[in-house]
Amino acid sequence: MSEVLVLVDHVDGAVRKPTLELLAIAKRIGSPSAVFIGGADKADAVAESVKGYGAEKVYVVDDAEIKGYLVAPKAEALQQIADQASPAAILIPSSAEGKEIAGRLAIKLESGLITDAVDVQVEDGAPVTTQSIFAGSYTAKAKVTKGTPIITVKPNSAAPEEGAGAGTVEKVSVTISDAAKTAKIAASNPRAATGRPELTEAAIVVSGGRGTGGDFSEVEGLADALGAAVGASRAAVDSGWKPHAFQIGQTGKVVSPQLYVAAGISGAIQHRAGMQTSKTIVAVNKDEEAPIFELVDFGVVGDLHTVLPAVTAEVEKRKG
Amino acid sequence: MNIVVCVKYVPDATAEQRFESDNTVDRGAVDGLLSELDEYAVEQALQLKEAAGDDSTVTALTVGPEKAVDAVRKALQMGADQGVHVQDDEIAGSDAVATSLVLAKAVEKIGQPDIVMCGMASTDGAMSVVPAMLAERLGLPQVTLGSRIERKENQLAVQRDGDTATEVVIGTMPLVASVTDQSGEARYPSFKGIMAAKKKPLETYSLGDLGVDAGEVGLSAAWTAVEETAARPPRTAGEIVKDEDGSGATALAEFLASKKFI
Ligand SMILES: Cc1cc2nc3c(=O)[nH]c(=O)nc-3n(C[C@H](O)[C@H](O)[C@H](O)COP(=O)(O)OP(=O)(O)OC[C@H]3O[C@@H](n4cnc5c(N)ncnc54)[C@H](O)[C@@H]3O)c2cc1C
Ligand SMILES: Nc1ncnc2c1ncn2[C@@H]1O[C@H](COP(=O)(O)O)[C@@H](O)[C@H]1O
């Protein structure tokens, strides 16, 4: 069976959940091979975790000489592994960096690229992707018609599947050109942990907008009662109430949780682009004409400053 | 310093979108405009020029249909010095791979600039891959997705707010850069700017001018194929209650419990 390369998304060797989702998708297409580009001392731990989700092979690229450079070296490393493995497909997490790596790789391998897939199935032996387009108002099915399909996949597009693979570690030494080492990462400040679930991975997201008036404590209170991540509209971010990392929408994060709660958010098209595919949508807004109500499964017309604390208390009570 | 800023003509995001029978976007159906996300790129290009205070030039470049020249005009009105419009019927339906090829060839014809400036994503396609592809094709450093950008002599430093970390990325010119909508409000064209734009040089290139073979671009040359498009089923109308003396909160908690979120 052909290999399917999965680029491991990790922070210092801690494998992030989208990688495990990609391994589940890879199994549908062929034999999953994880590609870990990172610290050699972390390789065993990474191999152990991806093996538990079906990785038959784990390619390890020691990043000691390239981690100080943006994107380009990773694309070169993947190209060299792909040349050797002739994979049936290459799956990459749909992060900003993931898409840039994929873009460069597509040119190098002269292969078709599909970004932001929300589902990948196999038809006639080839991967067929589903994408959500135009702010989530359309879906499109597509496939790659040239070269090795390169597909970037959004978080939450598949459930991780446990099940042991062989997890055979193969160290690869790649040759990285000087041309790929020209965009230097001069500083890197890891984002402070919020103590809440990761926004793009969370099952529940509670977001606040301009209607919060800048006080997010009620939004956060409900989020914590529900075990949810906290999000924000661009108006809230532009007002400096939350950092940009919290922004949901076209120019922020795209989330697709089981439950999305929008408090004091009007529901502009650019915001919808980031949350429209959520399974269940709830809004609290004092304006009954707010466009967000066109999307909701349940809406409360009311003041969030009274409704949210009351719901939070009710949730706490029911949890016992 | 020469800066080329890549601007895309996109359908108005607030208008309803339609597809043609070949599953390409019906670009004639809705009015278009300069992608709002590319206004940020024009703004940063102009600020770099202004800070340099010399005879730097900013060239606005677009690849697109006849009407796409409007995107270049808007950039000229904002303050770009000259415009280039690559227009050729064969380009219709091109994917990012082909678009980046045409852009790269146009950049080379304009003359190797010090900075190729892009937006963070097209508001219609939103793939966010063209700048990286351009860097790959041109063999230039890629300093992309900057929320802040700063020039130090022949270097450009951008702040890049990633998923897990905020990074500072530095490249030496010539390079390809892109900026996000956090990089700073874009200016509106002034009346003077609008008048001045009418006299600014605007060139149109065909594929032939760029030495690009028609077989390398367009729908038939795309390396991917859309098989099917479908409107998402409209969401079924939800229940909406008015909060009166706490009734809204109770009803919402009831709803959350019924869906097993509590
Ligand atoms: C290129 C571009 C990209 C963009 N990208 C994004 C993006 O990624 N994400 C994004 O969110 N936006 C984005 N926007 C901005 C978007 O168009 C809207 O301006 C923004 O989403 C509005 O945020 P909001 O809903 O919080 O504020 P508003 O539209 O001002 O709405 C506030 C809402 O709060 C309600 N409210 C007020 N007080 C209360 C109260 N006490 N209780 C209950 N409700 C109350 C009001 O009725 C109103 O509906 C983008 C815009 C552009 C042009
Ligand atoms: N047809 C085009 N003409 C000019 N610039 C473009 C075009 N397509 C993409 N770009 C540039 O590439 C950036 C990212 O586009 P994309 O990869 O399509 O999301 C845009 O913000 C533009 O700066």
Side-chain angles (χ1 to χ4, degrees):
Chain A
M1 208 180 352
S2 291
E3 291 180 42
V4 176
L5 300 184
V6 169
L7 180 62
V8 174
D9 181 11
H10 66 96
V11 180
D12 259 336
V15 177
R16 300 177 78 211
K17 188 162 156 259
T19 307
L20 310 180
E21 297 165 8
L22 292 194
L23 288 169
I25 292 174
K27 269 188 252 177
R28 300 174 193 160
I29 308 168
S31 170
S33 297
V35 178
F36 170 63
I37 304 176
D41 55 327
K42 303 284 172 21
D44 289 343
V46 168
E48 204 49 48
S49 39
V50 294
K51 183 178 161 181
Y53 289 85
E56 298 294 341
K57 238 188 217 177
V58 185
Y59 292 104
V60 174
V61 179
D62 182 2
D63 74 350
E65 287 189 7
I66 55 176
K67 67 170 176 229
Y69 304 94
L70 197 69
V71 176
K74 290 184 180 164
E76 278 193 3
L78 271 175
Q79 174 192 21
Q80 288 168 34
I81 294 170
D83 281 345
Q84 173 204 326
S86 308
I90 302 173
L91 305 179
I92 297 174
S94 239
S95 58
E97 185 191 37
K99 289 200 275 188
E100 292 186 329
I101 293 170
R104 301 188 73 125
L105 189 59
I107 307 269
K108 287 178 190 294
L109 295 176
E110 300 199 2
S111 292
L113 163 67
I114 292 173
T115 57
D116 295 320
V118 294
D119 192 18
V120 184
Q121 295 294 337
V122 177
E123 284 172 25
D124 301 328
V128 175
T129 61
T130 305
Q131 289 160 290
S132 165
I133 48 182
F134 295 148
S137 58
Y138 274 85
T139 58
K141 278 193 170 183
K143 64 179 185 199
V144 167
T145 52
K146 180 164 183 214
T148 307
I150 302 171
I151 302 169
T152 78
V153 184
K154 285 200 174 174
N156 281 334
S157 297
E161 287 168 18
E162 281 184 54
T168 317
V169 172
E170 194 174 309
K171 292 206 171 73
V172 270
S173 53
V174 292
T175 332
I176 304 300
S177 69
D178 286 342
K181 295 192 248 178
T182 52
K184 213 177 173 152
I185 302 172
S188 180
N189 297 309
R191 199 164 302 301
T194 58
R196 297 194 178 92
E198 186 91 31
L199 198 47
T200 49
E201 298 171 8
I204 304 180
V205 175
V206 181
S207 288
R210 201 194 310 272
T212 60
D215 178 3
F216 260 67
S217 61
E218 288 142 355
V219 168
E220 287 164 352
L222 180 59
D224 290 341
L226 292 170
V230 171
S233 72
R234 178 160 129 179
V237 170
D238 283 352
S239 304
W241 303 338
K242 281 284 164 199
H244 183 249
F246 286 73
Q247 185 175 315
I248 309 284
Q250 186 190 10
T251 54
K253 297 223 159 64
V254 176
V255 298
S256 197
Q258 296 299 319
L259 171 65
Y260 187 84
V261 182
I265 294 177
S266 61
I269 178 127
Q270 295 90 351
H271 188 78
R272 290 180 182 209
M275 46 67 73
Q276 183 139 280
T277 55
S278 305
K279 308 291 173 300
T280 300
I281 298 175
V282 165
V284 179
N285 196 304
K286 68 178 183 191
D287 173 13
E288 61 182 313
E289 303 286 326
I292 190 82
F293 285 125
E294 293 163 15
L295 292 184
V296 300
D297 296 284
F298 196 90
V300 179
V301 180
D303 188 337
L304 71 90
H305 298 299
T306 53
V307 176
L308 291 193
V311 176
T312 305
E314 191 74 23
V315 171
E316 297 286 7
K317 197 168 88 196
R318 284 173 193 245
K319 283 202 301 195
Chain B
M1 192 170 48
N2 288 318
I3 306 175
V4 170
V5 52
C6 299
V7 294
K8 188 172 180 185
Y9 178 79
V10 298
D12 186 348
T14 52
E16 193 121 352
Q17 303 281 359
R18 280 213 317 257
F19 286 94
E20 307 261 28
S21 54
D22 63 357
N23 286 321
T24 58
V25 179
D26 182 354
R27 307 237 173 226
V30 296
D31 280 342
L33 72 180
L34 165 62
S35 167
E36 276 170 298
L37 293 175
D38 292 345
E39 289 184 12
Y40 295 97
V42 175
E43 177 63 36
Q44 291 308 313
L46 294 174
Q47 286 190 19
L48 285 166
K49 173 188 153 116
E50 286 156 4
D54 53 17
D55 57 357
S56 296
T57 54
V58 174
T59 307
L61 165 66
T62 197
V63 173
E66 202 178 331
K67 280 205 224 158
V69 72
D70 287 355
V72 173
R73 285 222 177 88
K74 174 87 183 271
L76 294 177
Q77 292 172 351
M78 289 172 73
D81 302 291
Q82 54 189 47
V84 172
H85 178 198
V86 184
Q87 189 205 337
D88 201 304
D89 292 345
E90 305 288 344
I91 297 173
S94 288
D95 58 5
V97 169
T99 302
S100 67
L101 172 69
V102 178
L103 283 169
K105 293 287 183 188
V107 165
E108 281 165 359
K109 185 170 164 69
I110 290 166
Q112 186 77 277
D114 301 288
I115 301 173
V116 180
M117 182 71 81
C118 293
M120 67 186 288
S122 329
T123 51
D124 57 344
M127 286 179 79
S128 295
V129 295
V130 165
M133 286 179 166
L134 261 178
E136 176 74 33
R137 288 191 184 279
L138 295 167
L140 296 180
Q142 172 200 331
V143 293
T144 47
L145 298 172
S147 57
R148 223 180 287 155
I149 126 171
E150 200 183 329
R151 177 180 167 206
K152 286 188 195 115
E153 285 160 25
N154 64 342
Q155 292 194 318
L156 211 59
V158 309
Q159 177 175 314
R160 184 172 153 113
D161 302 320
D163 262 0
T164 53
T166 293
E167 295 166 333
V168 177
V169 183
I170 298 177
T172 302
M173 297 191 271
L175 49 73
V176 175
S178 77
V179 292
T180 74
D181 62 338
Q182 300 289 300
S183 59
E185 219 38 61
R187 68 193 65 183
Y188 289 102
S190 64
F191 179 71
K192 219 175 112 204
I194 293 170
M195 297 314 287
K198 295 183 176 158
K199 296 192 208 83
K200 289 178 177 170
L202 203 166
E203 270 194 89
T204 308
Y205 296 163
S206 67
L207 286 180
D209 295 334
L210 300 179
V212 176
D213 190 72
E216 292 179 84
V217 299
L219 189 58
S220 54
W223 296 351
T224 53
V226 177
E227 308 212 297
E228 186 184 313
T229 54
R232 241 182 111 76
R235 296 189 81 99
T236 42
E239 189 185 347
I240 293 171
V241 301
K242 267 207 172 87
D243 178 50
E244 270 152 37
D245 301 328
S247 65
T250 315
L252 177 50
E254 198 62 50
F255 173 81
L256 294 177
S258 75
K259 294 277 183 183
K260 311 252 180 304
F261 288 122
I262 306 180

